[in-house]
Amino acid sequence: MLSRVAITVFTTTAATAGSRASVLNLRTRAFLPQPASSHSPPPNSSSVQLDTLRVLEWDKLCHSVSSFATTSLGRDASKAQLWSLDQTYDDSMRLLAETNAAVEIQNHGGCSLDFSSINPLLVKSAVQHVRRLQPVEGAEALAIVGLLQLVENLQFNLRASIKEDSDWYRRFMPLTEVILKLVVNRSLIKSIQQIVDEDGSVKDSASPGLRRARDQVRSLEAKLFQLMDALIRKEKEEALSLEVSNINGRWCLQSQADQNLSIQGLLLSSVPGVGSIVEPLVAVPLNDELQQARASVARAEDEVLLCLTKKIECEIDDVETLVTSVVKLDVINARALYSLTFGGSCPDLILPLGSNGSHTAEVLVSGDNAPMESPIVRRDWSVFLPKAYHPLLVQQHHQNLKEAKKNLSYANIEIRRMKLEGGKMYRREEKDFDLSSLQMEVAKLEEARPVPVDIFIASKTRVLVITGPNTGGKTICLKTVGLAAMMAKSGLYVLSSEPARIPCFDFIFADIGDEQSLSQSLSTFSGHLKQINNIRSHATCQSLVLLDEVGAGTNPLEGAALGMALLESFAETGVFLTIATTHHGELKTLKYSNTSFENACMEFDEVNFKPTYKILWGIPGHS
């Protein structure tokens, strides 16, 4: 199929770009399959979706978001949720409502969704042991106590906040109900604390049999200590140096190198130049008794822990619900912390309904951070992202600035320390820190913040053509829109000013960069054609398509004709929104013959001869 398209391109002989476009338009439609009518992707659509996520660098954003989770299970669950590709509009609205509630909780400050003090992994292990009727370990039981106490404190703080102002109940929804419905059994906390000590060991008081067994162990160890001490003192009289050693729980004596022992015993090891280890014969009966006593302790501990396991079994469903809910809350809080850290805003998520451009807007749950429908964005715009940032650029700048401030702070601390230690040392070593350059680096980073772009796409627009010079920001603009759509769909705030508005696309497809297939020996041009062909096969009337440098990689006239044909095809087959960047001037003319097309260009400062990275709307630019 692809080879036939390529042959068509290279054998077209029309004299003008317009005739090339019309010929290619007809021929391309004959060879490229029509988009699927259903909103569900075909079974083999995962590869093109994963290619899109790769070029958008979605994995880096997922890693960044998950790093805000405070538990290992939360980090894993956060990545799994963000990599889910099958959210419906209702799913996305629910995720955004949860994130919005967590943001409200963070801003309130009276409740904490920090779960770093507990270990859900150990709780999960305890649940598995209980389900299999195996004794839980002491550390696992303590992990359950930590979980129960944390949830109890969370509920207490939440109720206190609601008592202070009943409106917080509504503003924390739907997390209010999730948290307050959790069941905490205080008797289970008491039962575990009566048996397990703070270090995870079983208390002597857990059972009379355990106390007796441990008393016997302590008594035998005291006798062995006295015996070994007497033997060592006797050997010292003969100028020998000995020390007590424990081998597999048995008390032995260890000599230094090149020393001969006069003690009768069992030689356990002897290494030339190192020394010998001997179990004295007089200690063998006591060691045997000690081994038996320790075995009795282990059996008694198992009996106690098995009895505790049976008590936990009665509450195991509630415990499992608790740990699952806490991990879920950790995931939600990670989304909220990411959104707050990088200055996001809650988007007004709309649902595209069909190819005629109609859609409906839904407003999220009310609250200070909930989106308010502005008259500006109510009907006229399908995408309204004022001052939108590329999240990975913001993240990198944030990390660089944080590191620079850390280095500056460290240098100031060291200089103060050296001043206190002595003037000469201070003057000699102050140069090593170069304080002025560190201050300049911080100031430079604070001034060189990422440049935001205003992305305003009218409801009637089906294809947006962006032109501009290389390194002008066209590709960054594409990725910004793609990532904002993915973030909103996944329950994240978008890094944009309010009011932000974006459709809930069913699928987001992208052909960005030189993604040629070396394994299939495809050229850059053919690689792009294959990817675009796959995108057309799966795009629907609710999809977003991002095409970078459409028609590039071949003869300019033929590339322009093919680009025009492809964009017209995307518009006519009902794809909700296609955004394409190009150097081909012919693609700018499509706006004047088709009302579903719109132009934009990246601004260029002709005085200073450098790009401003800002978008100019409604006008074509120079490439």
Side-chain angles (χ1 to χ4, degrees):
M1 183 180 295
L2 289 171
S3 60
R4 293 175 71 186
V5 174
I7 291 171
T8 303
V9 171
F10 292 117
T11 57
T12 304
T13 58
T16 65
S19 62
R20 288 176 183 274
S22 61
V23 173
L24 282 171
N25 195 11
L26 293 173
R27 295 186 180 179
T28 303
R29 286 184 218 159
F31 301 131
L32 293 177
Q34 298 300 309
S37 58
S38 170
H39 295 329
S40 301
N44 60 348
S45 67
S46 59
S47 62
V48 67
Q49 292 182 57
L50 293 176
D51 286 342
T52 294
L53 296 178
R54 185 180 69 255
V55 297
L56 291 178
E57 299 180 286
W58 181 244
D59 58 326
K60 294 181 180 179
L61 193 141
C62 292
H63 179 77
S64 177
V65 175
S66 66
S67 68
F68 286 91
T70 53
T71 66
S72 59
L73 289 181
R75 288 187 285 274
D76 292 342
S78 178
K79 291 179 181 178
Q81 182 254 304
L82 291 171
W83 276 99
S84 175
L85 304 177
D86 57 354
Q87 293 106 333
T88 64
Y89 175 74
D90 290 338
D91 291 335
S92 297
M93 293 294 287
R94 173 182 53 79
L95 292 171
L96 278 171
E98 292 169 350
T99 304
N100 194 66
V103 168
E104 291 279 10
I105 291 174
Q106 290 292 337
N107 290 335
H108 177 270
C111 302
S112 174
L113 294 178
D114 182 354
F115 306 106
S116 57
S117 61
I118 64 172
N119 190 337
L121 203 58
L122 274 180
V123 178
K124 286 278 190 180
S125 177
V127 170
Q128 291 177 355
H129 283 148
V130 172
R131 295 290 189 198
R132 298 168 184 168
L133 297 180
Q134 297 174 343
V136 296
E137 297 179 3
E140 295 172 343
L142 281 185
I144 293 176
V145 170
L147 173 67
L148 294 171
Q149 290 177 333
L150 182 142
V151 173
E152 186 178 37
N153 289 334
L154 178 58
Q155 290 178 333
F156 176 84
N157 292 331
L158 180 59
R159 290 191 179 100
S161 299
I162 296 171
K163 186 176 181 180
E164 174 189 331
D165 185 348
S166 60
D167 190 48
W168 288 116
Y169 185 96
R170 176 185 57 82
R171 296 173 69 175
F172 292 165
M173 285 291 289
L175 300 189
T176 310
E177 290 185 350
V178 171
I179 295 171
L180 294 182
K181 284 183 178 179
L182 297 176
V183 178
V184 177
N185 190 317
R186 287 200 53 79
S187 63
L188 181 59
I189 297 176
K190 186 176 180 180
S191 296
I192 294 175
Q193 289 178 332
Q194 287 176 341
I195 292 174
V196 182
D197 216 335
E198 293 181 356
D199 61 356
S201 62
V202 180
K203 294 180 178 180
D204 287 358
S205 58
S207 75
L210 178 60
R211 183 185 292 277
R212 285 194 300 270
R214 285 182 173 171
D215 286 343
Q216 185 181 9
V217 168
R218 286 189 282 267
S219 173
L220 289 169
E221 286 178 338
K223 291 179 181 178
L224 281 164
F225 176 81
Q226 293 174 356
L227 176 61
M228 295 298 176
D229 185 58
L231 292 174
I232 289 173
R233 261 185 270 153
K234 180 179 178 181
E235 293 295 325
K236 278 186 178 179
E237 296 174 0
E238 301 179 12
L240 294 177
S241 177
L242 298 175
E243 61 182 26
V244 177
S245 179
N246 194 301
I247 305 298
N248 296 326
R250 303 182 73 87
W251 289 55
C252 305
L253 291 176
Q254 182 174 354
S255 67
Q256 295 182 356
D258 304 324
Q259 288 185 341
N260 294 320
L261 293 176
S262 59
I263 298 174
Q264 291 184 344
L266 304 175
L267 182 63
L268 300 182
S269 70
S270 179
V271 180
V274 176
S276 303
I277 298 177
V278 173
E279 180 181 359
L281 288 178
V282 292
V284 169
L286 287 175
N287 273 330
D288 289 342
E289 285 187 56
L290 180 61
Q291 295 291 78
Q292 294 173 4
R294 285 175 175 161
S296 298
V297 168
R299 285 193 297 271
E301 287 179 348
D302 284 345
E303 290 174 0
V304 169
L305 291 175
L306 185 59
C307 182
L308 178 61
T309 300
K310 291 178 180 178
K311 291 182 180 180
I312 297 174
E313 185 184 11
C314 299
E315 311 295 334
I316 195 60
D317 290 336
D318 289 339
V319 171
E320 195 164 19
T321 300
L322 282 180
V323 70
T324 301
S325 299
V326 162
V327 170
K328 178 183 177 181
L329 289 170
D330 196 19
V331 171
I332 296 169
N333 193 51
R335 296 200 304 265
L337 287 176
Y338 174 88
S339 302
L340 287 171
T341 299
F342 297 112
S345 61
C346 189
D348 175 16
L349 201 62
I350 64 172
L351 177 64
L353 291 183
S355 59
N356 62 354
S358 62
H359 56 262
T360 182
E362 297 285 348
V363 181
L364 292 181
V365 293
S366 58
D368 287 350
N369 291 295
M372 300 296 293
E373 272 209 282
S374 165
I376 300 175
V377 300
R378 187 170 294 137
R379 298 186 186 89
D380 297 336
W381 310 101
S382 62
V383 178
F384 192 88
L385 299 173
K387 291 182 172 54
Y389 289 92
H390 187 296
L392 297 182
L393 294 183
V394 174
Q395 175 187 329
Q396 186 61 54
H397 179 267
H398 185 272
Q399 292 174 347
N400 292 341
L401 183 58
K402 183 179 179 180
E403 186 66 24
K405 288 182 176 180
K406 179 181 177 182
N407 293 337
L408 179 59
S409 176
Y410 173 77
N412 282 320
I413 292 172
E414 285 298 302
I415 288 174
R416 285 196 295 269
R417 180 185 63 80
M418 289 186 290
K419 281 182 178 179
L420 294 174
E421 291 180 354
K424 291 183 179 180
M425 180 179 294
Y426 162 67
R427 286 191 294 272
R428 186 175 66 252
E429 297 186 10
E430 182 183 15
K431 297 179 180 178
D432 296 339
F433 291 99
D434 197 2
L435 195 62
S436 61
S437 67
L438 292 174
Q439 292 171 336
M440 289 178 61
E441 183 181 359
V442 171
K444 182 179 178 181
L445 285 170
E446 287 179 337
E447 292 179 2
R449 296 180 182 274
V451 179
V453 292
D454 294 320
I455 302 170
F456 307 138
I457 303 177
S459 298
K460 65 179 182 179
T461 300
R462 288 292 157 263
V463 180
L464 173 66
V465 178
I466 303 177
T467 54
N470 286 331
T471 70
K474 299 191 302 295
T475 302
I476 291 297
C477 181
L478 279 185
K479 290 185 176 182
T480 299
V481 177
L483 287 173
M486 284 296 303
M487 291 167 70
K489 186 175 181 180
S490 301
L492 290 164
Y493 282 13
V494 296
L495 303 195
S496 165
S497 298
E498 294 181 344
R501 179 187 182 98
I502 197 165
C504 182
F505 298 106
D506 57 357
F507 304 111
I508 299 160
F509 301 109
D511 176 46
I512 298 176
D514 186 12
E515 294 295 322
Q516 58 180 309
S517 174
L518 298 179
S519 62
Q520 299 184 38
S521 300
L522 297 175
S523 68
T524 301
F525 178 66
S526 298
H528 284 302
L529 279 182
K530 182 176 184 292
Q531 180 71 355
I532 294 172
N533 180 42
N534 290 335
I535 290 172
R536 290 188 76 259
S537 299
H538 302 119
T540 74
C541 60
Q542 293 187 357
S543 298
L544 169 66
V545 175
L546 306 171
L547 304 177
D548 190 29
E549 300 296 350
V550 63
T554 186
N555 179 282
L557 289 178
E558 292 169 344
L562 178 61
M564 294 175 74
L566 288 172
L567 295 185
E568 286 181 330
S569 175
F570 276 112
E572 293 172 7
T573 51
V575 173
F576 185 81
L577 179 60
T578 301
I579 306 177
T581 68
T582 184
H583 283 293
H584 298 304
E586 292 84 353
L587 273 64
K588 309 170 192 175
T589 64
L590 291 170
K591 171 185 176 179
Y592 306 108
S593 60
N594 191 328
T595 57
S596 63
F597 279 73
E598 183 56 273
N599 286 331
C601 68
M602 305 307 298
E603 185 182 50
F604 188 80
D605 185 349
E606 296 183 357
V607 176
N608 297 310
F609 295 100
K610 63 179 183 180
T612 65
Y613 305 109
K614 296 181 179 179
I615 302 179
L616 299 178
W617 292 94
I619 59 174
H622 299 288
S623 299

